[in-house]
Amino acid sequence: MTNAIAALAGQQNFLVAGLMSGTSMDGVDAAIVRFDASARSPRAELLAFVTVPYPDELRASLADLTVGHDTTAEEIALLNMSVAVAFSAAFFEVCRGAGIDAKQVDFIGSHGQTVAHAPPIKGGAPVAGTLQLGPPGAIAALTEVTTVGDFRVGDIAMGGQGAPLAPAADYLLRRSEQCGRIILNIGGVANVTFLPRGCQRDEVVAFDSGPGNMVIDELYRVLFAGHGSFDSGGAAAASGTVSQPLLDELIENAYFNAVPPKSAGHREFGPRYAWQIQSRAQELGLPRADTLATVTSLTVDTIVYAIERFVAPLGEVSELYLTGGGVHNETIVSGLTRRLGGMTLKPIDVLGIPADAKEAVDFALLAREAVLGRPNVLPNVTGATKAQVLGTIAAGMSR
Amino acid sequence: MTNAIAALAGQQNFLVAGLMSGTSMDGVDAAIVRFDASARSPRAELLAFVTVPYPDELRASLADLTVGHDTTAEEIALLNMSVAVAFSAAFFEVCRGAGIDAKQVDFIGSHGQTVAHAPPIKGGAPVAGTLQLGPPGAIAALTEVTTVGDFRVGDIAMGGQGAPLAPAADYLLRRSEQCGRIILNIGGVANVTFLPRGCQRDEVVAFDSGPGNMVIDELYRVLFAGHGSFDSGGAAAASGTVSQPLLDELIENAYFNAVPPKSAGHREFGPRYAWQIQSRAQELGLPRADTLATVTSLTVDTIVYAIERFVAPLGEVSELYLTGGGVHNETIVSGLTRRLGGMTLKPIDVLGIPADAKEAVDFALLAREAVLGRPNVLPNVTGATKAQVLGTIAAGMSR
């Protein structure tokens, strides 16, 4: 009988599963990644990736929690286990699809399912917190594979935002000795990560530029009800004309001018914000396609502004890699391409990991760092008072 | 920079903190223990122990959760952090009191605060769960000491009750090559752990015999309102006479005859049960002291019955060690002494760890097993389908 966790610390190459579900709660992203031996600049090879939808009832219960519906401690305890079961099922499915024996996987890095995120706010409540369901102890039991999870709470305990964590993975996997790079993740909000040429970890700059898809999706679902849940390819936006008066008003938001580090979420750019925009669009008598064109332009313009104002002065940037659901919105991508003429825009896929798998791979990598006992968070990015080894580790059956 | 968790796996002697808060939520028990090098039969030396009361507001919020009051995911996230802060404060206090530099502590074993426990029930819901607040990742951040916690969820994931976990510690610390021993823990319920002479871990038998202090406390608080929250020393019970008719009725409970493994809690012997007894006592016209004498005798009689029926046939038992709050109830202790004439009854303190510190020490020991990568649960006791290394480990700052 060997010590499963300690044995891993002596390995150099790893076969790792990354499990992730984001705030959209579509399902569990599961990736199998091979990390090579190079410690300073690990290389990741994606062997398999699937997204396994949540059972409808579970998704509905989790969505209720996220919007603040009443619950009980017991319901949380049960959902905690249900999420672990769903994550474990996704793990077995990605193994099966890739023809990999689950027992060959060295460990799992699992983000869990965020159902509450209340990071510290200046002048806010004295206590902050975050809650990811799907405890590593249950996943390790169900899969018999050592599991690292619950990454965010330690950062919040140290006064950080518990986010973003991906820039630490970007630093390890995606920095270049040849040129400055931006990783632009267009998810619900848009995150900009700047990796200066040959940077050290404390030179990485990352922040949320503003809305990504969140406002677009919210308005599309109502304005174009019956035509799907998002503006596929950005076609609806492309059919409209940007309202400069509305766009000018929206740009007048203190958030966009605030100096990083800064992070945003539902509080800033959630449904309430979207409905204020729609209300103003109605006053202006805008056709629905024009409203959508305008908020799509808002995403593009605030990203461009953030890069020009907060990144460009810090150093040379010649490459920008796009990831997140926004890569599928051609109106966004063509807008960025037109406006950021000095940079080469590429899908992040060209670096080896497809955009859809990036977050799952990133948490596999953060788990690798945890297993190796290395700090895996950038405190200057999260605002925490110190770097730590985030993640708690539950032992699988020893081999 | 060393790998904090992996480095521990190579150590033989440990200075460990154990942190525990039970269902009474009086506060956080904090112990500092030294474990010696002998792997098969570790020896524990208690260096310091304190109980640090919860802040009133936190205790009230946690108590509300436990009885099923409405909450939100965000409130759970915030209380999760508040419990971690309280546990970390208790850790620093026990260190300070003992004159021990917190940095000298190798790791912390933290039970956390249970706010929901819904183990699998035959014929019950398909999903089970348990929720201990105070995540190890936050305690490790706040204390800078590697922390093991969240012990129960992995056992429940494997179909176990997630309890009792103490028998695994009893097996390691308290079994004897010379004689069969019972560890009798009289807490809210009464737990019997039988350690046959020279036993192997799969020979340990442990189960709940029935009520411990729970029913006594519940009735005392109302019948003797204004005289404290429990029957100090068992004096009120001693002043009454047992009602044999009522006692006979109470003994006619299928639970007491059920063959172990079995576990009980609020569901079986909580407030509702106490009030059924009080209602029956009123019908019988019993004076309040007689009611208390009767339920005190119920605790004694069901313990004696459990030992005679379910333990004595399994092997020789010559020593019984008492622990839990019930050791302070002289009416219980003298009743047991009188009825269990063939055994030597001793406070567990004579084995080296005072009763009040036992649970905190036990979780320090279970954490030690986790750090060493050894199974630390007895599946024949919890009902789980397999033994595992329970507990998830969050790295402190590497030294």
Side-chain angles (χ1 to χ4, degrees):
Chain A
M1 181 85 73
T2 57
N3 184 332
I5 297 173
L8 288 173
Q11 275 183 235
Q12 295 206 302
N13 297 312
F14 297 102
L15 191 63
V16 186
L19 305 176
M20 169 80 205
S21 172
T23 48
S24 65
M25 298 187 179
D26 298 325
V28 185
D29 294 341
I32 301 278
V33 199
R34 193 188 301 282
F35 291 113
D36 85 355
S38 162
R40 181 163 152 75
S41 291
R43 281 202 319 212
E45 182 191 357
L46 181 67
L47 303 187
F49 177 73
V50 294
T51 300
V52 181
Y54 275 128
D56 286 343
E57 199 184 332
L58 178 57
R59 181 194 295 112
S61 298
L62 295 171
D64 281 352
L65 287 189
T66 306
V67 296
H69 280 201
D70 278 351
T71 184
T72 63
E74 181 164 317
E75 189 187 29
I76 299 262
L78 299 178
L79 289 171
N80 205 27
M81 187 67 79
S82 295
V83 170
V85 168
F87 273 57
S88 300
F91 166 73
F92 285 117
E93 189 156 329
V94 74
C95 288
R96 197 161 43 239
I100 291 169
D101 182 350
K103 291 190 187 357
Q104 298 305 310
V105 175
D106 290 304
F107 56 89
I108 293 169
S110 174
H111 175 269
Q113 177 65 57
T114 297
V115 292
H117 191 67
I121 310 174
K122 246 178 228 160
V127 175
T130 185
L131 190 61
Q132 283 75 46
L133 300 188
I139 297 174
L142 293 164
T143 61
E144 304 196 346
V145 175
T146 295
T147 301
V148 189
D150 210 14
F151 289 91
R152 298 190 189 272
V153 73
D155 189 70
I156 289 195
M158 289 295 94
Q161 297 285 305
L165 300 186
D170 291 331
Y171 167 76
L172 289 168
L173 282 182
R174 299 169 187 112
R175 74 182 187 279
S176 163
E177 300 296 324
Q178 281 72 50
C179 65
R181 286 176 168 174
I182 284 174
I183 311 296
L184 174 60
N185 175 42
I186 307 177
V189 300
N191 333 111
V192 175
T193 298
F194 173 46
L195 305 164
R197 178 173 50 183
C199 61
Q200 302 297 310
R201 63 173 62 219
D202 61 359
E203 295 171 319
V204 176
V205 172
F207 60 95
D208 294 337
S209 59
N213 307 312
M214 201 184 274
V215 179
I216 300 168
D217 289 352
E218 184 76 21
L219 291 179
Y220 181 83
R221 281 183 202 129
V222 175
L223 296 177
F224 296 82
H227 295 81
S229 62
F230 63 98
D231 181 13
S232 182
S239 74
T241 304
V242 172
S243 158
Q244 198 61 44
L246 177 55
L247 185 58
D248 287 345
E249 285 178 30
L250 296 176
I251 296 284
E252 288 295 311
N253 183 320
Y255 183 84
F256 304 128
N257 271 307
V259 175
K262 58 184 178 180
S263 68
H266 276 91
R267 207 162 48 206
E268 290 78 11
F269 302 114
R272 184 177 307 169
Y273 178 77
W275 289 104
Q276 287 168 350
I277 295 177
Q278 168 56 7
S279 160
R280 192 70 190 105
Q282 284 180 319
E283 288 171 21
L284 296 169
L286 298 188
R288 61 183 188 170
D290 289 10
T291 303
L292 212 68
T294 306
V295 293
T296 301
S297 186
L298 176 68
T299 289
V300 172
D301 287 13
T302 52
I303 289 169
V304 171
Y305 180 77
I307 290 173
E308 291 179 343
R309 166 116 189 245
F310 300 121
V311 177
L314 300 177
E316 165 271 329
V317 190
S318 56
E319 296 178 350
L320 186 150
Y321 294 92
L322 277 171
T323 186
V327 301
H328 303 298
N329 185 315
E330 288 166 29
T331 306
I332 291 179
V333 175
S334 65
L336 289 172
T337 306
R338 195 170 53 242
R339 299 280 306 278
L340 293 167
M343 300 175 198
T344 309
L345 266 67
K346 296 177 183 168
I348 202 162
D349 309 47
V350 302
L351 294 179
I353 306 294
D356 293 339
K358 177 180 186 286
E359 288 185 288
V361 170
D362 283 355
F363 278 92
L365 178 60
L366 298 183
R368 169 185 179 271
E369 300 306 297
V371 160
L372 294 173
R374 299 181 185 143
N376 52 5
V377 60
L378 305 176
N380 53 320
V381 165
T382 65
T385 53
K386 68 180 183 202
Q388 299 177 73
V389 182
L390 295 180
T392 66
I393 312 179
M397 297 295 272
S398 57
R399 288 181 272 173
Chain B
M1 180 86 72
T2 57
N3 184 332
I5 296 173
L8 288 173
Q11 276 184 235
Q12 296 207 302
N13 297 312
F14 296 103
L15 190 64
V16 186
L19 304 177
M20 169 78 203
S21 172
T23 49
S24 65
M25 298 186 178
D26 298 325
V28 185
D29 293 340
I32 301 279
V33 200
R34 192 187 303 283
F35 291 113
D36 85 356
S38 162
R40 181 162 150 76
S41 291
R43 282 203 321 213
E45 181 191 357
L46 182 66
L47 303 186
F49 178 72
V50 292
T51 301
V52 181
Y54 275 129
D56 287 343
E57 198 185 332
L58 177 56
R59 181 195 295 112
S61 298
L62 295 170
D64 281 353
L65 287 189
T66 306
V67 296
H69 280 200
D70 278 352
T71 184
T72 63
E74 181 165 317
E75 189 188 27
I76 299 262
L78 299 179
L79 289 171
N80 204 27
M81 187 65 80
S82 295
V83 169
V85 169
F87 273 56
S88 300
F91 166 74
F92 284 119
E93 189 156 328
V94 74
C95 288
R96 196 161 42 239
I100 290 168
D101 182 351
K103 293 189 184 4
Q104 298 306 311
V105 175
D106 290 305
F107 56 87
I108 293 169
S110 174
H111 175 269
Q113 176 65 59
T114 297
V115 294
H117 190 68
I121 309 176
K122 245 177 227 158
V127 175
T130 185
L131 190 61
Q132 282 75 47
L133 301 188
I139 296 174
L142 293 164
T143 61
E144 303 195 346
V145 175
T146 294
T147 301
V148 189
D150 211 13
F151 289 91
R152 299 190 188 274
V153 75
D155 189 70
I156 289 196
M158 288 296 93
Q161 296 286 307
L165 299 186
D170 290 331
Y171 167 75
L172 288 169
L173 282 183
R174 299 171 187 111
R175 74 183 187 279
S176 163
E177 299 297 322
Q178 280 73 49
C179 66
R181 286 177 169 174
I182 284 174
I183 311 296
L184 174 60
N185 174 41
I186 308 177
V189 300
N191 334 110
V192 176
T193 300
F194 173 46
L195 305 164
R197 178 174 49 182
C199 61
Q200 301 297 311
R201 61 173 63 219
D202 61 0
E203 295 171 319
V204 177
V205 173
F207 60 95
D208 294 337
S209 58
N213 307 311
M214 200 184 273
V215 180
I216 300 169
D217 289 353
E218 184 77 20
L219 291 180
Y220 181 84
R221 280 181 203 131
V222 175
L223 297 176
F224 295 82
H227 295 80
S229 63
F230 64 97
D231 181 12
S232 180
S239 74
T241 304
V242 172
S243 160
Q244 199 60 47
L246 177 55
L247 186 58
D248 287 346
E249 285 180 29
L250 296 176
I251 296 284
E252 288 296 313
N253 182 319
Y255 184 83
F256 305 128
N257 272 308
V259 175
K262 58 183 177 179
S263 67
H266 276 91
R267 206 161 48 203
E268 290 78 12
F269 302 114
R272 186 177 305 170
Y273 178 76
W275 289 102
Q276 287 167 350
I277 295 177
Q278 169 56 6
S279 160
R280 191 70 189 106
Q282 283 181 320
E283 288 171 21
L284 295 169
L286 297 189
R288 62 181 187 171
D290 289 9
T291 303
L292 212 68
T294 305
V295 294
T296 302
S297 187
L298 177 68
T299 289
V300 172
D301 287 14
T302 51
I303 289 169
V304 170
Y305 180 77
I307 290 173
E308 290 179 344
R309 166 119 190 242
F310 301 120
V311 177
L314 300 178
E316 166 272 331
V317 190
S318 55
E319 296 178 349
L320 187 151
Y321 294 92
L322 279 170
T323 186
V327 302
H328 303 299
N329 185 316
E330 287 166 29
T331 304
I332 292 179
V333 174
S334 65
L336 290 171
T337 305
R338 196 170 53 242
R339 299 282 305 279
L340 293 168
M343 298 175 198
T344 309
L345 267 68
K346 295 176 183 170
I348 202 163
D349 309 49
V350 302
L351 294 179
I353 305 294
D356 293 340
K358 176 179 186 287
E359 287 186 289
V361 169
D362 284 354
F363 278 94
L365 179 61
L366 298 182
R368 170 186 178 270
E369 300 306 297
V371 160
L372 293 173
R374 298 182 186 143
N376 52 5
V377 61
L378 305 176
N380 53 320
V381 165
T382 64
T385 54
K386 67 179 184 202
Q388 299 176 71
V389 182
L390 295 180
T392 65
I393 312 179
M397 297 295 273
S398 58
R399 288 182 272 173

